[in-house]
Structure formats: structure tokens, C-alpha cells
Amino acid sequence: MSIKIGILGYGNLGRGVEQAVLRCDDMELTAVYTRRDPESVKTVSGVKVLSTEALDAGTADIDVLIICGGSATDLPKMTPKYAAMYNVIDSFDTHANIPTHFANVDEASKSAGKIGIISCGWDPGMFSINRLYSESVLPGGKAYTFWGKGVSQGHSDAIRRIDGVKDARQYTVPVDAALEAVRAGKNPELTTREKHTRLCYVVAEEGADKARIENEIKTMPNYFSDYDTTVNFISEEEMQRDHSGLPHGGSVIYSGDSGNGTNKHVIEYKLTLDSNPEFTGSVLTAYARAAYRMNKDDISGAKTVFDIAPALLSPLSGDEIRAHML
């Protein structure tokens, strides 16, 4: 039996999930749900598009709902709401607010006997797992995470929510000197500002107060206030010509030692992504498989990537995994 998948939201991430589901033989995409007029949304796969009202009764014929909203304002409301009705997955990426979001989803999903897997993607997500593995293997070492250069969907979305902003792209850029020092095993003490800069390209609405927009961006907590941030105002034509792609990537680098401390070790896990939303959508889809399997075993409540056994992500059997990957 195929796992029935519903997608809530059909932006870049929703389309990435759609493409990932279409590649999975054990899944079927049953519907896309939108807050827009469903008649205005045309999907690549041709799957039906329904209003979010079709979800609200809790009777939609889906096994897992993959929620593709923004972390700034959508997911804190959407995920707990629908976790009380369905097995859900999201990519909530406001790191400072994950404990609160987890608690809210846990309460909702446990009351419904459902699974709610939050903060899936590559960071939080795959990078989180590698930080935990490294610390577990080499206790007492030092972990560094560098993102980019690449477009952050969450940060770009946060800028677009500002009044007077028509479109925006935000690039996260590692500071080269910091990256080189970490890779050399020097274990530098680095502030947030010393590790990354943020580069923003903004298309403003006609007549908008650009000084106000720039100030709102640079002072936005959890997103920009702790970074050296550059804001560039450009035209729609420049945005389409120079910033239509959504690449990203980064590295988790961990420095530790073993024995009596004389032998040093550096662990690095790196991603280079042509399409951030397509890759993130692929991660969400793999965790949807895990959510379905866990809930079939009567497991409920909020989970993170730390709680999911790797074998649950794969469509292969245990025998196949052990024979070919162990």
C-alpha cells in the first residue's frame, strides 16, 4: 500500500516536496492544500489542489501531511493545529524557538495519537545529526557550523513579510578566515558575527520607505540582528536575472581528540546543493515515510531527527540495508 501524502503550501518548498514524492514508489501524492484560491494553483504533477478548509475537519484521506510554510509566522500556528488531526512533518528552522515549537506540537499530536516530526531538512536536520554523532564519538570537542554561500528560504521569507517588500533573496556567506582556521584544527573562539555575514537583495514596492525596510531587516531578532548585514535594493529585472536560483549548502566541522589528548581529529560533513527547496523537500519526504511507519506502531507525539532510526527513512528492507550499506 502506498503512503498517502498531502502537501500544505505550494511555494518553492511545496514544489520540492512534490518532485520528491513523485520519485518514491511507495508513496502517492493525494492533494496539495493552499490558502490561495485553488483554481489559481497549477501543480507540476496535475494532482488536485484543495483549500485548506478541506483539512480543517480532520477527515482528509492522507497518511502524512507535509507542511511547507515559513518558520517566521506559518509553522508556529499550522503545525500544532494540524498535528491534532494528522501525522505531520515540518521544516521549522528558527533554532532559538525549537523547544517551544516542539512542546506545542507534542501536546497536539499526543492528544490525537499522531506523530509530529519537526525541524526536518538539512539544518536543522541532517547537520543536527552530524553534530550529535561527532560530540558522542569525541566528547568534549568543539563543533562549528558554516552555512553558504547560499539562499536561505526562511530568511528570504522573513524579509518578504516586511511591509513594502515585493521580493527578496538573502544569502548567508561564511567568513573565509574563520572557515580556514576551523579546518586547520585551531579551535578558534568565534562569535556569531565572526562566522557569517548576511547579504540581502530586496525589491521594494513603489514608494516604500527603503530606510525603514533596511532598518527592520538589520534589527530583526533571530534572523539578522546578530550579523553584519548588507541590504541592496534592486529592480525586479535584476532579481529575475541574477537571483532566480536557490542554491545553498555548508559544512559541519568538529574538532576533538582521543586517548590522552595528543591525537587530534577533525570531522567534516559538507553539502553543496543546486536547489535548497528540492533537497529540503527530499529530506521532508524521507521523514514522512518514518512518520507513517512509527504511527503504524502506535507511536505518537512530537519527534525530531534525533529520535528517528535511520532505517525508517529508507524504502529498502532491513536485509537490503545491511547487505548493501552497512
Side-chain angles (χ1 to χ4, degrees):
M1 178 182 292
S2 293
I3 303 169
K4 297 177 181 178
I5 302 293
I7 298 173
L8 175 53
Y10 197 65
N12 291 320
L13 182 55
R15 287 189 288 272
V17 171
E18 177 185 33
Q19 294 291 344
V21 172
L22 294 176
R23 295 168 66 96
C24 296
D25 293 336
D26 62 338
M27 296 185 181
E28 61 175 303
L29 181 59
T30 62
V32 166
Y33 300 90
T34 181
R35 291 174 293 185
R36 292 178 277 171
D37 175 5
E39 294 295 325
S40 71
V41 179
K42 304 300 179 186
T43 61
V44 172
S45 63
V47 71
K48 63 186 176 185
V49 181
L50 302 174
S51 168
T52 52
E53 294 176 359
L55 286 172
D56 292 347
T59 57
D61 185 21
I62 54 176
D63 294 314
V64 185
L65 179 66
I66 302 179
I67 305 176
C68 301
S71 295
T73 58
D74 293 335
L75 297 180
K77 296 178 181 178
M78 286 180 170
T79 307
K81 174 181 178 179
Y82 291 110
M85 308 175 201
Y86 308 99
N87 297 314
V88 298
I89 311 286
D90 78 16
S91 59
F92 185 78
D93 67 355
T94 307
H95 292 260
N97 295 337
I98 284 176
T100 298
H101 186 59
F102 181 92
N104 292 338
V105 175
D106 192 49
E107 180 180 3
S109 55
K110 280 181 177 174
S111 70
K114 301 295 184 180
I115 285 279
I117 305 179
I118 68 160
S119 302
C120 293
W122 56 276
D123 200 4
M126 296 178 73
F127 274 15
S128 311
I129 294 169
N130 281 276
R131 285 189 285 263
L132 180 61
Y133 280 157
S134 298
E135 172 64 32
S136 300
V137 172
L138 297 174
K142 196 168 182 64
Y144 300 85
T145 304
F146 292 93
W147 303 282
K149 179 182 180 182
V151 176
S152 168
Q153 295 174 94
H155 287 70
S156 298
D157 178 69
I159 297 174
R160 287 192 290 268
R161 300 300 177 101
I162 294 174
D163 185 50
V165 173
K166 192 170 187 179
D167 198 4
R169 295 288 186 279
Q170 187 267 305
Y171 292 85
T172 301
V173 184
V175 175
D176 287 338
L179 190 57
E180 291 170 6
V182 170
R183 281 186 171 142
K186 296 180 179 179
N187 287 359
E189 293 295 331
L190 299 170
T191 65
T192 297
R193 196 175 300 274
E194 289 172 329
K195 290 195 294 182
H196 298 90
T197 61
R198 298 207 181 276
L199 182 58
C200 308
Y201 293 91
V202 179
V203 178
E205 298 279 2
E206 186 174 352
D209 185 343
K210 293 181 179 179
R212 174 188 57 78
I213 292 172
E214 181 172 357
N215 182 66
E216 285 194 36
I217 293 171
K218 290 184 174 181
T219 59
M220 190 182 297
N222 299 322
Y223 284 87
F224 298 101
S225 60
D226 293 331
Y227 299 85
D228 288 334
T229 301
T230 302
V231 179
N232 298 300
F233 290 95
I234 61 175
S235 67
E236 286 186 86
E237 292 74 20
E238 288 174 298
M239 182 68 77
Q240 289 299 317
R241 184 190 69 209
D242 301 330
H243 306 285
S244 59
L246 293 168
H248 217 323
S251 302
V252 173
I253 306 172
Y254 187 89
S255 295
D257 56 48
S258 61
N260 62 7
T262 58
N263 292 313
K264 309 296 182 182
H265 311 284
V266 178
I267 303 169
E268 181 168 354
Y269 177 79
K270 182 178 180 181
L271 293 174
T272 303
L273 312 176
D274 278 351
S275 172
N276 186 358
E278 286 189 9
F279 185 82
T280 301
S282 297
V283 178
L284 287 165
T285 300
Y287 277 91
R289 180 180 294 111
Y292 173 79
R293 291 172 169 175
M294 293 173 74
N295 197 237
K296 283 292 184 182
D297 288 337
D298 296 323
I299 299 171
S300 65
K303 307 294 178 186
T304 71
V305 294
F306 299 137
D307 306 307
I308 312 299
L312 292 176
L313 305 176
S314 175
L316 301 178
S317 69
D319 286 343
E320 290 171 316
I321 294 171
R322 286 186 290 274
H324 300 292
M325 297 187 187
L326 192 54

